[in-house]
């Protein structure tokens, strides 16, 4: 399979508030090293093409993009010396919808929590990650059966105007929008990361041309806490085109794959023409921040089942934090996919 990757991500390593302490983010550069190493035998690597910026404006607001591009400079200009720009005050139940002028206020306005921040190189890394998503999509549009983007930072928690959950630009949404803008009919996004893809859901919530379907840990106990319930089914013309499968802590492959089977049947029934897979492997049994019980052979089976859907497929990397094992788990999905069809 064609794999798109780049070294630009390497300098991006944010901090996160974890159990009351600021720690180096679990979302670390080594994740890509390990995955590249595990894929190197059986796959072909490419660098992304230059990002065409206009696709970002189809998914994110101009104000948000402007904020992300300039946040680091504003942080430094305001006299701060910490290596990660983070907010400390959020419009959780907003009294005012007005974007504040100060960098501290703007960081709160344009983010969803203290689980990641903006470093000197975050904008550069996030736009390169989006360029990878774009190149993967272009190659599938050009006739590849499937291709995989080693996107880092990940994207599925980024909404149209908020970063959070290690995500800044929504790579899967960018891929889906690019497909729509170049003549593909209805696009299906299947998000199999352990966490609910709240950003992707928000971006397409009122639309019927992109179906968002997510299998994830129930938000009653897991991040992102405030979306991902089964009764969130879309709004207006989008009603019925957002499908959530929240699952309990400790879910193993038996019930997880039952949800997958149902999700695939729903997607197929909605006449999806191209599939975008938000591929997180943090459902792995040894993932340090997750609670599901999937094994490496289970990831192979997932790959085979995805192939059986028999659609052109854009794979976008999301989470996976058991760093040593994640390469093998991603490789299992892609190899299973190639065996399966
Ligand atoms: C990103 B992706 C507290 C835990 C914060 C945020 C999880 C983000 C997951 N420090 N957890 O969906 O894999
Ligand atoms: Zn995740």
């Amino acid at each position: 399979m064609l794999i798109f990757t780049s070294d630009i991500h390497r300098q991006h390593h944010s901090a996160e508030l974890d159990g009351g302490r600021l720690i180096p983010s679990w979302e670390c550069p080594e994740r890509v090293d390990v995955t590249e190493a595990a894929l190197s035998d059986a796959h072909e690597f490419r660098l992304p093409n230059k990002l065409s910026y206009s696709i970002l404006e189809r998914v994110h607001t101009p104000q948000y993009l402007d904020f992300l591009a300039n946040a680091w400079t504003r942080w430094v200009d305001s006299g701060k010396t910490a290596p990660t720009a983070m907010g400390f005050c959020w419009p959780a139940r907003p009294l005012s919808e007005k974007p504040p002028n100060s960098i501290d206020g703007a960081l709160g306005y344009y983010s969803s929590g203290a689980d990641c921040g903006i470093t000197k190189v975050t904008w550069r890394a996030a736009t390169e990650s989006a360029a990878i998503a774009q190149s993967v999509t272009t190659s599938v549009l050009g006739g590849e059966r499937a291709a995989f983007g080693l996107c880092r930072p990940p994207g599925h928690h980024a909404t149209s105007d908020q970063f959070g959950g290690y995500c800044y630009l929504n790579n899967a949404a960018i891929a889906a929008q690019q497909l729509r803008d170049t003549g593909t009919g209805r696009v299906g996004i299947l998000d199999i990361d352990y966490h609910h893809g709240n950003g992707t859901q928000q971006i397409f919530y009122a639309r019927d041309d992109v179906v968002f379907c997510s299998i994830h840990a129930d938000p009653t106990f897991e991040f992102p806490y405030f979306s991902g319930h089964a009764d969130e089914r879309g709004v207006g013309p989008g009603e019925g085109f957002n499908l959530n499968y929240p699952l309990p802590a400790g879910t193993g492959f038996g019930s997880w794959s039952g949800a997958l089977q149902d999700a695939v049947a729903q997607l197929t029934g909605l006449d999806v023409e191209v599939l975008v897979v938000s591929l997180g492997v943090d459902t792995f049994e040894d993932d340090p921040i997750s609670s599901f019980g999937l094994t490496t052979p289970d990831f192979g089976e997932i790959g085979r089942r995805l192939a059986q859907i028999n659609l052109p497929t854009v794979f976008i990397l999301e989470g996976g934090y058991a760093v040593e094992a994640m390469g093998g788990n991603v490789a299992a999905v892609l190899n299973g996919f190639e065996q399966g069809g």
Side-chain angles (χ1 to χ4, degrees), residues 20-290:
R21 291 197 174 80
L22 205 56
I23 61 165
S25 178
W26 291 97
E27 200 290 289
C28 62
E30 293 74 25
R31 298 175 61 244
V32 168
D33 299 335
V34 167
T35 309
E36 282 182 357
L39 294 172
S40 63
D41 287 343
H43 303 274
E44 182 185 339
F45 289 84
R46 300 246 176 107
L47 286 170
N49 297 318
K50 195 169 143 19
L51 177 73
S52 96
Y53 192 85
S54 58
I55 188 69
L56 300 184
E57 294 171 324
R58 302 278 294 138
V59 167
H60 297 284
T61 67
Q63 295 84 351
Y64 174 63
L65 294 170
D66 188 63
F67 166 78
L68 274 187
N70 297 301
W72 179 255
T73 304
R74 289 175 65 186
W75 179 256
V76 171
D77 287 352
S78 76
K80 293 186 169 63
T81 53
T84 304
M86 294 176 95
F88 63 90
C89 181
W90 287 272
R93 292 184 182 84
L95 296 174
S96 161
E97 292 285 342
K98 286 200 191 89
N101 292 325
S102 75
I103 180 64
D104 286 307
L107 281 162
Y109 185 85
Y110 289 114
S111 68
S112 50
D115 51 24
C116 63
I118 294 172
T119 70
K120 188 175 185 196
V121 296
T122 296
W123 174 247
R124 181 77 188 94
T127 50
E128 184 79 352
S129 192
I132 289 173
Q134 201 173 40
S135 288
V136 171
T137 308
T138 301
S139 72
V140 169
L141 280 164
E144 289 291 329
R145 154 97 173 90
F148 173 69
L150 252 166
C151 293
R152 180 175 181 272
H156 72 151
H157 298 304
T159 69
S160 58
D161 67 352
Q162 284 178 309
F163 68 90
Y166 318 151
C167 302
Y168 306 87
L169 298 172
N170 194 313
N171 304 309
I174 287 164
Q177 188 63 50
Q178 184 186 346
L179 289 163
R180 289 288 301 123
D181 289 348
T182 48
T184 303
R186 183 171 290 137
V187 174
I189 302 177
L190 180 59
D191 188 326
I192 58 173
D193 185 276
Y194 171 78
H195 303 93
H196 178 242
N198 57 317
T200 319
Q201 168 168 307
Q202 180 261 349
I203 289 164
F204 298 112
Y205 205 60
R207 289 169 53 172
D208 63 0
D209 62 329
V210 177
V211 189
F212 177 68
C213 185
S214 179
I215 304 169
H216 51 265
D218 194 314
T220 55
F221 76 92
E222 187 55 273
F223 180 89
Y225 303 116
F226 309 111
S227 78
H229 297 285
D231 61 2
E232 296 158 22
R233 293 186 39 80
V235 72
E239 196 175 341
F241 295 90
N242 191 91
L243 306 165
N244 283 329
Y245 294 84
L247 299 172
T251 292
F253 193 61
S255 36
W256 194 94
S257 65
L260 178 65
Q261 195 172 6
D262 197 83
V264 167
Q266 299 290 330
L267 280 172
T268 309
L270 291 170
D271 297 322
V272 162
E273 286 185 8
V274 177
L275 188 64
V276 176
V277 178
S278 264
L279 177 60
V281 291
D282 41 7
T283 48
F284 182 54
E285 56 183 351
D286 292 331
D287 195 276
I289 66 170
S290 306

